[in-house]
Amino acid sequence: MASFLNKPFCILLLFLIFWNTYAFAQDSAVKGVVKANGNPLPLAHVQIFPGGIGTTSDKDGRFVIEGIPEGTYTLNISSLGYMELNKEIVVQKGKVLALELILIPSMEQLDETVVTGTLKPIKRLESPVPVEVYKPTFFKKNPTASIFEALQNINGVRPQINCNVCNTGDIHINGLEGPYTLVLIDGMPIVSGLGTVYGLSGIPNSLIEQVEIIKGPASTLYGSEAVGGLINIITKNTLEAPTLSLDSFLSGWGEYNLDLGSHINIGESTNLLLGLNYFRYDNPIDNNGDNFTDLTIQDRVSLFQKWTLRRPSNKLLSIAGRFFYEDRWGGEMQWTPEFRGTDEIYGESIYTRRWEFLGKYQLPIEENVLFSASYNDHSQNSVYGDTPYLADQRIGFAQLTWNKPLGRHDLLLGSALRYTYYDDNTTATGNNGGNFIDEVWIPSLFIQDEWIFSKKHSLLTGLRYDYDKRHGAIFTPRLAYRWKFNDNDILRFNAGTGFRVVNLFTEEHAALTGARDVIIAEDLEPEQSVNFNLNYLKKIYSDGGNFIALDASAFYTYFSNAILPDYDTNPNQIIYRNLDGNAISKGLSLNLDFAFANGLKMIVGGTLMDVSNTRDGITQRQILTESYSGTWSISYAIRSMNLSIDYTGNLYGPMRLPLLGELDPRKEFSPLWSIQNIQFTYSGIGDFEIYGGVKNLLNWTPNRGNPFIIARAEDPFDKNVVFDNAGNAVQTPDNPYALTFDPSYVYAPNQGIRGFLGLRYRID
């Protein structure tokens, strides 16, 4: 009998325990609503730490997390396009904590992790080196067919077109020419010299995680070419990439661009990232009436593949490769491939093929040791009128780094080896009528120490040693100091030196293939630079959910032994020599980011700069360098209509332009000019986005106010030009300005106003 009574008693007891536990779980909870821009925010991630339990807000922005033990926690709320919110909460037994949480639209990722400044992952706000970070959402505001074009909306960065006919170019940072800018992919210097403009084309935007930019010398970590700054294009982690992404658009000029990206799991330990970019433009247009194409005809394909292998030790192992092929031509409207290399109809035809490989491998040891390597092979077959240009460039790079924290010190030791092979059929590799291959090995050693005094103060010091057999030992020290007054005010001071060894092709693309003769007046020695940069970052929050970020910099760079092209001594020549004097780049830069609770976001930037060189006691402004510039991006989201509007643009002050002599009637300085764009994006159809708009709203082209842009476009082979005994053009009735054919007078794109329409599709 007792046994029988005990059984139901036990059942009743278990039921009561279960009920009390269930009731406790229901009562001890956190619930609330997530809002942004005054509206509920669905699909926001809400997690509680420690413990990691969480949920996602519903269509009304509401969420509930139950069964939380009594205690103090951190509530983390995150959503794509908004700044993360961390809030400390206290959960009491039997209580329900109700919250209203406001997320602020993200400000170009102030809190993103960056690697470029110190060669190791670090929060941007904690980095002693100022690093600017741009996400794909920034570039989507003005969709372009290549990263080269997309950089036009970044303050202090300007894509410079160097040739009116072939439209090749380079990247200027704070007024310094392309050879001073190092371009990296995933931290590897595989884009260099011959391949700069091509390496920046054909990278699928869907595969880009972020673009990091340093303005100022970074030679201590990256060696030669990182004198004026560097651009690091970081591709997505294969684990975080979408399953499928598509982005395609068509412009009113007939340009067509397709980006495809895919993430594939192969087994349990391998992830594959695939990317395809295809661009085609085959509609010759001559709106300025000079019988030359305003925009180069292009047919380009780029394939990208990245493998990431999961190792039992969770150490990194990734391998990536890219193939790039492009056929481009520009010239007289009557040109066809049968005229390639002849002197009947002028055309510039370029066939380009590139292979790129890079890999990263963390050694299977307890210490954090990383081996990185890259290799690229660039082959170019070009004809400029009847002048052939055949070139091959190969760059190999290997680097071993050891990151070792020791108390308040965070040490980074490294060794690198760079191999460069370059050969062409021009004076760059000519030697008394013969030919030699420019082949250089540069071994390097570097050390960096970040000394964290306290939460507010840190000091980074570094030293690099490079050995070039042509120039001997080269040392580049560096210093960076960060003073974090509080979470919203940070002051950084950076000082260091830079160096650049010479690859003549990088100095002037048109120089080796265009209308002017190249004169190398002496054996060119490496350039040296000393740089100072003061940066201040200020964040301001308001009670209404508005946010402002101010990022201001003052910079000064002094160049000795600078290599500058001399266009002025002889209008038919470009003379290269080391500057007997100095060159200086100095200025102020300001970025302002605004995010308002009503959905309005603005990014506004401006730069004032003075880039000059002093030779024989005479100081003049550097050619093709503006004294001031500005950029802006204004976005507004109408969430009730699933519609967003983006208005982007840039503005550039006057630049000194390359004239062909005193009689040249073209303007010596460019006018104030601006390129402005508007885009509308509709996202109310599932995983699709439809976007469209207008580019170059002002229809600005550089022929405004000039009698012509290309000198003697009617006589591109100089058949009717009379020369004197010194090789200078002589004034004649047929040639009243004593000019020769020259397409290098260029400062802005010739492409006028046009509409565009595109479609995006994404499956996560």
Side-chain angles (χ1 to χ4, degrees):
M1 184 68 177
S3 175
F4 177 77
L5 291 175
N6 287 340
K7 185 174 182 180
F9 177 77
C10 292
I11 294 174
L12 178 61
L13 182 62
L14 290 172
F15 175 77
L16 291 174
I17 294 172
F18 171 78
W19 177 256
N20 286 333
T21 303
Y22 176 78
F24 174 79
Q26 291 294 308
D27 292 340
S28 299
V30 175
K31 69 177 184 180
V33 59
V34 182
K35 292 184 177 181
N37 304 320
N39 299 312
L41 182 63
L43 301 178
H45 298 285
V46 184
Q47 284 187 292
I48 289 180
F49 297 98
I53 59 174
T55 185
T56 302
S57 61
D58 63 18
K59 63 183 179 62
D60 297 317
R62 300 188 179 278
F63 70 92
V64 177
I65 303 177
E66 300 172 329
I68 308 170
E70 184 178 14
T72 301
Y73 300 89
T74 297
L75 188 67
N76 175 268
I77 306 95
S78 63
S79 182
L80 184 65
Y82 298 87
M83 298 182 67
E84 285 190 16
L85 175 63
N86 290 292
K87 182 178 181 63
E88 186 176 288
I89 60 173
V90 178
V91 177
Q92 299 178 357
K93 183 178 180 179
K95 301 291 185 179
V96 177
L97 182 62
L99 300 168
E100 182 177 272
L101 304 164
I102 308 297
L103 290 190
I104 297 173
S106 62
M107 303 303 304
E108 282 321 308
Q109 322 309 326
L110 286 176
D111 295 317
E112 285 295 328
T113 298
V114 297
V115 297
T116 305
T118 59
L119 272 183
K120 57 189 178 184
I122 186 173
K123 287 290 186 181
R124 181 187 168 194
L125 293 176
E126 301 300 323
S127 172
V129 179
V131 181
E132 295 183 15
V133 180
Y134 298 91
K135 289 286 192 177
T137 52
F138 176 84
F139 299 114
K140 286 180 180 179
K141 296 174 183 179
N142 178 31
T144 59
S146 72
I147 287 293
F148 177 79
E149 298 174 56
L151 295 173
Q152 65 184 288
N153 288 328
I154 296 177
N155 182 28
V157 178
R158 182 170 64 85
Q160 168 64 44
I161 297 175
N162 292 328
C163 177
N164 266 306
V165 180
C166 64
N167 290 165
T168 54
D170 52 33
I171 303 297
H172 290 204
I173 294 182
N174 285 344
L176 297 178
E177 295 183 317
Y180 298 93
T181 300
L182 179 63
V183 181
L184 314 168
I185 297 180
D186 286 338
M188 297 288 99
I190 62 175
V191 180
S192 177
L194 181 59
T196 298
V197 67
Y198 306 102
L200 283 172
S201 300
I203 300 175
N205 291 333
S206 59
L207 299 184
I208 296 175
E209 175 64 25
Q210 62 191 40
V211 176
E212 300 180 7
I213 296 177
I214 293 179
K215 298 173 182 176
S219 295
T220 302
L221 287 181
Y222 295 97
S224 179
E225 296 180 34
V227 181
L230 63 88
I231 300 170
N232 190 6
I233 300 169
I234 299 175
T235 59
K236 288 185 180 295
N237 186 314
T238 55
L239 299 175
E240 300 173 355
T243 301
L244 177 67
S245 62
L246 176 148
D247 190 344
S248 180
F249 71 81
L250 179 70
S251 82
W253 274 45
E255 301 160 282
Y256 175 71
N257 186 75
L258 171 66
D259 269 351
L260 276 175
S262 178
H263 168 217
I264 302 171
N265 293 321
I266 302 176
E268 297 182 354
S269 60
T270 305
N271 293 277
L272 175 62
L273 188 64
L274 291 172
L276 166 69
N277 172 259
Y278 178 69
F279 176 78
R280 183 176 180 85
Y281 171 69
D282 58 0
N283 181 36
I285 293 177
D286 176 28
N287 285 339
N288 60 18
D290 60 5
N291 196 40
F292 273 72
T293 53
D294 291 345
L295 181 66
T296 304
I297 306 303
Q298 299 174 61
D299 192 2
R300 178 176 72 231
V301 63
S302 175
L303 294 170
F304 181 89
Q305 184 171 295
K306 182 177 180 179
W307 296 75
T308 300
L309 282 75
R310 299 177 187 171
R311 300 162 61 190
S313 61
N314 289 323
K315 297 282 188 177
L316 175 66
L317 174 56
S318 68
I319 303 171
R322 185 167 76 114
F323 172 73
F324 173 95
Y325 178 79
E326 183 183 68
D327 176 0
R328 70 162 60 195
W329 73 266
E332 294 185 273
M333 295 290 288
Q334 300 80 16
W335 191 90
T336 59
E338 66 188 67
F339 295 106
R340 193 176 196 265
T342 70
D343 64 354
E344 298 178 54
I345 297 177
Y346 188 90
E348 297 184 0
S349 171
I350 305 172
Y351 302 145
T352 305
R353 189 202 71 235
R354 280 179 66 88
W355 292 93
E356 301 170 350
F357 301 95
L358 59 92
K360 295 186 176 183
Y361 176 71
Q362 275 185 298
L363 273 59
I365 58 178
E366 183 177 346
E367 298 292 336
N368 184 10
V369 180
L370 177 66
F371 175 74
S372 306
S374 67
Y375 176 79
N376 77 72
D377 186 303
H378 183 110
S379 177
Q380 187 165 315
N381 181 328
S382 308
V383 173
Y384 298 80
D386 58 354
T387 303
Y389 173 73
L390 308 174
D392 288 290
Q393 184 181 57
R394 301 164 198 160
I395 298 176
F397 180 80
Q399 180 172 272
L400 190 69
T401 57
W402 177 31
N403 186 201
K404 181 66 175 179
L406 290 173
R408 292 182 177 270
H409 295 266
D410 194 349
L411 293 172
L412 180 74
L413 291 87
S415 176
L417 179 65
R418 177 167 176 156
Y419 167 75
T420 302
Y421 171 102
Y422 180 73
D423 185 27
D424 66 21
N425 64 325
T426 74
T427 55
T429 55
N431 186 12
N432 296 324
N435 184 68
F436 73 94
I437 296 173
D438 187 13
E439 197 169 14
V440 180
W441 294 85
I442 302 180
S444 310
L445 295 171
F446 58 89
I447 182 172
Q448 174 181 275
D449 175 28
E450 184 177 1
W451 181 13
I452 303 174
F453 295 46
S454 64
K455 289 184 178 180
K456 291 187 175 182
H457 301 277
S458 65
L459 177 68
L460 183 144
T461 57
L463 178 66
R464 184 184 182 98
Y465 164 81
D466 291 82
Y467 181 78
D468 186 327
K469 66 179 182 181
R470 300 168 297 180
H471 310 299
I474 303 172
F475 291 92
T476 46
R478 158 195 223 198
L479 177 146
Y481 173 69
R482 180 182 64 89
W483 183 1
K484 187 177 181 181
F485 301 97
N486 51 56
D487 289 339
N488 299 325
D489 294 270
I490 300 174
L491 183 69
R492 299 180 176 97
F493 175 74
N494 281 246
T497 64
F499 78 97
R500 184 171 67 92
V501 296
V502 178
N503 177 343
L504 187 58
F505 185 91
T506 70
E507 312 310 313
E508 178 68 46
H509 176 88
L512 303 179
T513 56
R516 299 194 186 204
D517 293 328
V518 177
I519 305 298
I520 305 173
E522 59 190 9
D523 291 335
L524 299 176
E525 295 297 323
E527 289 185 279
Q528 302 282 344
S529 70
V530 179
N531 171 269
F532 303 94
N533 183 291
L534 184 66
N535 173 260
Y536 174 64
L537 176 65
K538 172 72 174 179
K539 297 187 294 180
I540 304 171
Y541 298 88
S542 74
D543 294 335
N546 301 320
F547 176 75
I548 302 174
L550 179 151
D551 192 338
S553 293
F555 57 89
Y556 179 91
T557 305
Y558 179 94
F559 293 91
S560 58
N561 224 22
I563 302 164
L564 297 174
D566 177 4
Y567 288 85
D568 303 319
T569 300
N570 188 320
N572 295 310
Q573 296 177 343
I574 301 179
I575 303 172
Y576 288 99
R577 61 168 65 94
N578 286 114
L579 179 65
D580 184 14
N582 62 70
I584 294 175
S585 169
K586 58 186 177 182
L588 301 171
S589 177
L590 175 65
N591 284 318
L592 291 171
D593 289 4
F594 302 86
F596 299 99
N598 62 3
L600 178 66
K601 296 172 65 176
M602 296 191 297
I603 304 172
V604 181
T607 299
L608 297 173
M609 57 188 171
D610 179 11
V611 183
S612 62
N613 61 80
T614 301
R615 178 181 296 167
D616 299 327
I618 300 174
T619 299
Q620 62 179 353
R621 190 197 300 183
Q622 177 60 34
I623 201 166
L624 290 173
T625 300
E626 65 276 16
S627 57
Y628 59 89
S629 65
T631 58
W632 64 86
S633 172
I634 303 173
S635 303
Y636 183 69
I638 309 174
R639 296 190 177 276
S640 60
M641 299 175 60
N642 297 305
L643 181 69
S644 61
I645 305 170
D646 297 293
Y647 170 51
T648 58
N650 51 48
L651 180 145
Y652 298 106
M655 311 175 196
R656 191 167 70 90
L657 302 174
L659 298 180
L660 294 182
E662 294 181 357
L663 298 178
D664 194 330
R666 295 174 295 181
K667 294 181 178 180
E668 182 181 4
F669 287 89
S670 66
L672 173 70
W673 60 283
S674 175
I675 302 293
Q676 302 177 24
N677 322 283
I678 192 166
Q679 175 184 246
F680 301 87
T681 304
Y682 178 72
S683 56
I685 311 175
D687 297 319
F688 289 89
E689 280 187 356
I690 300 174
Y691 61 92
V694 179
K695 287 179 177 287
N696 198 354
L697 286 163
L698 303 180
N699 196 27
W700 171 262
T701 53
N703 58 297
R704 290 190 185 182
N706 270 310
F708 51 83
I709 294 296
I710 299 177
R712 290 197 62 80
E714 74 281 3
D715 183 21
F717 296 99
D718 290 336
K719 293 181 178 180
N720 298 320
V721 176
V722 178
F723 296 93
D724 61 19
N725 293 332
N728 298 315
V730 176
Q731 186 178 19
T732 64
D734 181 62
N735 188 11
Y737 305 119
L739 304 179
T740 57
F741 174 73
D742 183 40
S744 63
Y745 183 95
V746 57
Y747 59 89
N750 286 315
Q751 195 176 15
I753 189 171
R754 63 217 181 265
F756 65 94
L757 182 66
L759 175 70
R760 297 189 185 101
Y761 177 67
R762 177 183 174 117
I763 300 176
D764 291 321

